[in-house]
Amino acid sequence: MDFFLDSTDLEEIKRLNSLGIIDGLTTNPSLIYKAKTPFEKLIRNICSEINGPVSVETVAEKSSQMVEQGIKLSKMAKNIVVKLPMTWEGVKACVELSKINVHTNVTLCFSAAQAILAAKAGATYVSPFIGRLDDANLDGVELIREIKKVYSNFNYDTKILAASIRTKNHVSQSAIAGADVVTIPTKVFDTLVNHNLTDQGLEIFNSDWKKSGQKIL
Ligand code: E4P
């Protein structure tokens, strides 16, 4: 499973990328707004920091404009993936961009039917928003399971990118349900390593090592 960061905070991105286990990144217009940095500069900086796909969203109503924006975005850096909304216009734009080998990510997916549309349009990724489904008292992880089943029934090669992650449980449950990628906000990412039994175990190992009087170096 690939780990993407869901962030536009360059300092946080650099901090977590230094771990060496980040495979890509996603942004969205709200995260761009939060960054308060000129758009193109921000995207270029993120794309040179991250050695993997970086999703950047088009903001247009008509498919022709989405395609134009997508082409412009894809010229900003080699690792750009063009994000398109799950609308008929987004589907049309996805078909067009796929034809010219621009990588795409169909976003705001809330049903298996929508995920089928994304696959048929040739999307590289589809982004089911599992946290927002949970917020609406629906089962986000169940949607990942459904999409996985449908995609394997028909050998679709669109990758399932679990998005709108709220907890570390979402990360593991998405993996179990068969997501190819999970995109994780930095705050949630920081919690992945935590377990109280790890802390307790380490404390005992360290204290016993001290008592043993041994040395490694
Ligand atoms: C994914 O690409 C989106 O940027 C993101 O996961 C949305 O998450 P939210 O529901 O927490 O805004």
Side-chain angles (χ1 to χ4, degrees):
M1 158 177 265
D2 281 350
F3 272 168
F4 287 7
L5 290 176
D6 195 28
S7 176
T8 50
D9 183 332
L10 200 56
E11 288 317 303
E12 288 289 275
I13 293 168
K14 284 183 179 167
R15 179 178 67 82
L16 290 172
N17 197 33
S18 71
L19 291 168
I21 57 169
I22 301 300
D23 304 294
L25 181 139
T26 52
T27 68
N28 64 42
S30 307
L31 289 171
I32 300 281
Y33 171 61
K34 246 171 115 178
K36 309 231 180 303
T37 308
F39 175 65
E40 211 166 317
K41 184 178 168 211
L42 177 69
I43 297 304
R44 285 184 198 281
N45 284 339
I46 292 175
C47 286
S48 60
E49 171 64 26
I50 296 290
N51 187 18
V54 173
S55 287
V56 186
E57 198 155 336
T58 56
V59 190
E61 274 180 27
K62 293 284 166 208
S63 67
S64 55
Q65 293 169 298
M66 290 177 196
V67 170
E68 261 177 53
Q69 291 182 0
I71 292 171
K72 186 169 180 208
L73 290 173
S74 68
K75 286 180 180 157
M76 278 186 201
K78 279 189 184 151
N79 47 345
I80 291 275
V81 172
V82 176
K83 245 176 153 183
L84 299 158
M86 174 38 77
T87 60
W88 287 122
E89 294 299 312
V91 167
K92 263 164 79 178
C94 186
V95 170
E96 292 311 313
L97 289 168
S98 304
K99 278 187 201 157
I100 54 170
N101 298 319
V102 171
H103 290 165
T104 53
N105 174 356
V106 175
T107 190
L108 291 165
C109 172
F110 293 97
S111 73
Q114 291 180 325
I116 297 170
L117 292 179
K120 289 192 68 71
T124 317
Y125 299 97
V126 67
S127 292
F129 274 37
I130 69 173
R132 293 194 195 187
L133 280 167
D134 286 4
D135 294 345
N137 287 325
L138 296 162
D139 187 344
V141 172
E142 179 56 25
L143 176 60
I144 306 280
R145 230 172 270 123
E146 286 177 10
I147 299 173
K148 182 70 182 177
K149 175 82 180 106
V150 176
Y151 279 14
S152 57
N153 284 351
F154 298 100
N155 281 328
Y156 288 139
D157 48 21
T158 298
K159 289 185 174 162
I160 305 170
L161 193 165
S164 185
I165 297 295
R166 305 269 190 264
T167 61
K168 63 179 168 184
N169 206 34
H170 272 161
V171 176
S172 50
Q173 290 303 313
S174 297
I176 293 164
D180 301 286
V181 186
V182 64
T183 189
I184 314 170
T186 55
K187 265 191 192 159
V188 177
F189 200 96
D190 282 330
T191 69
L192 291 181
V193 79
N194 298 345
H195 200 291
N196 61 347
L197 290 177
T198 305
D199 299 340
Q200 282 172 29
L202 195 59
E203 214 178 300
I204 294 165
F205 286 159
N206 284 341
S207 123
D208 286 345
W209 179 255
K210 257 188 206 153
K211 285 187 248 165
S212 79
Q214 308 278 358
K215 277 203 165 61
I216 295 178
L217 287 174

